[in-house]
Amino acid sequence: MTDLRLVIFDVDGTLVDSQADILAAMGAAFAGAGLPAPSRSEILGIVGLSLPQAIAHLAPEADRALLDAMVVGYKSAYTELRAEGGVELSSPLYPGVREVLETLNARPETLLGVATGKSRKGLDKLLDGHGLREFFVTQQCADDHPSKPHPAMLHEAVAVTGVDAARAVMVGDTEFDMEMARAAGLAGIGVSWGYHPVSRLGAAHRVIDDVAALPALLDTLWEAA
């Protein structure tokens, strides 16, 4: 066991607000399949799941071939939207996020990571577009793990960093993030500015309304540990 601490962040709805492109890309995927698009609330309700699981949830009557085609359609539409607007417009950072990452990264005992339902390609594009890659020593994504809320992403993050689960936290906006944290034995910190209402974050240890509150909350949690 080391004295290191690990803060793992979800991406969409936690660090960046990508909902416009998520909604548009999902609409394009359903249109391409000849299906009516789900509502905004239905689409945002599955954010956090890996893409195949998300589309299967939204289109339960579609067969495997159609689901695979819709995944391809979504990825294509999302890539086009990101290319048109650029990462900073397509998936802008929430206010205060960069400053908090800089604050936490400046603490020598604190390591940062991400655990996301994005693909590796999508994550790479986002991190590089915002100049965030340097902050995260572990980057877990959908290409390498089962979909959230399976705890595999968090198990791998603590394993590769050597940080004890009791000194690691998961920060996210969805119930899938909080359930994943609980399954992995980590404290889950929910955020209220993302895509799931606070009422769905029942598995969270704490919920914050302002990212600027995170450093002090982490100090409190670790002092009590």
Side-chain angles (χ1 to χ4, degrees):
M1 181 175 175
T2 73
D3 291 330
L4 293 175
R5 302 164 178 180
L6 177 62
V7 186
I8 306 165
F9 291 90
D10 169 58
V11 176
D12 295 304
T14 301
L15 298 179
V16 302
D17 186 4
S18 49
Q19 66 174 293
D21 283 359
I22 290 172
L23 294 168
M26 195 65 77
F30 272 75
L35 298 175
S39 68
R40 175 182 180 276
S41 62
E42 288 172 329
I43 295 173
L44 294 182
I46 54 77
V47 172
L49 296 176
S50 298
L51 185 58
Q53 286 76 15
I55 291 180
H57 182 84
L58 292 172
E61 296 181 1
D63 61 25
R64 175 51 53 189
L66 183 57
L67 290 174
D68 289 345
M70 293 172 73
V71 168
V72 172
Y74 178 98
K75 289 182 177 180
S76 176
Y78 197 95
T79 298
E80 290 179 7
L81 290 164
R82 184 176 56 210
E84 290 172 3
V87 170
E88 291 187 358
L89 290 177
S90 177
S91 299
L93 291 171
Y94 284 106
V97 162
R98 187 179 298 276
E99 292 77 9
V100 166
L101 293 177
E102 291 172 347
T103 296
L104 294 176
N105 192 55
R107 298 178 173 184
E109 77 283 1
T110 301
L111 303 178
L112 305 181
V114 293
T116 177
K118 284 183 172 296
S119 67
R120 175 64 61 186
K121 180 180 178 181
L123 178 60
D124 286 346
K125 290 284 188 182
L126 186 137
L127 294 181
D128 291 338
H130 282 297
L132 296 179
R133 183 176 296 279
E134 65 180 285
F135 291 116
F136 302 114
V137 299
T138 175
Q139 301 164 15
Q140 306 301 323
C141 66
D143 290 357
D144 305 318
H145 299 286
S147 177
K148 299 175 183 179
H150 193 286
M153 291 186 190
L154 300 186
H155 286 160
E156 181 68 10
V158 297
V160 299
T161 57
V163 178
D164 188 87
R167 298 176 69 83
V169 300
M170 175 70 202
V171 182
D173 70 305
T174 73
E175 69 174 277
F176 310 123
D177 296 315
M178 298 302 99
E179 291 173 357
M180 177 175 66
R182 183 166 59 182
L186 276 63
I189 299 176
V191 306
S192 65
W193 57 82
Y195 302 151
H196 284 190
V198 171
S199 60
R200 291 183 62 177
L201 305 181
H205 184 78
R206 291 283 295 275
V207 177
I208 58 174
D209 299 319
D210 184 348
V211 70
L214 182 59
L217 174 58
L218 292 172
D219 289 339
T220 300
L221 292 177
W222 282 320
E223 286 171 4

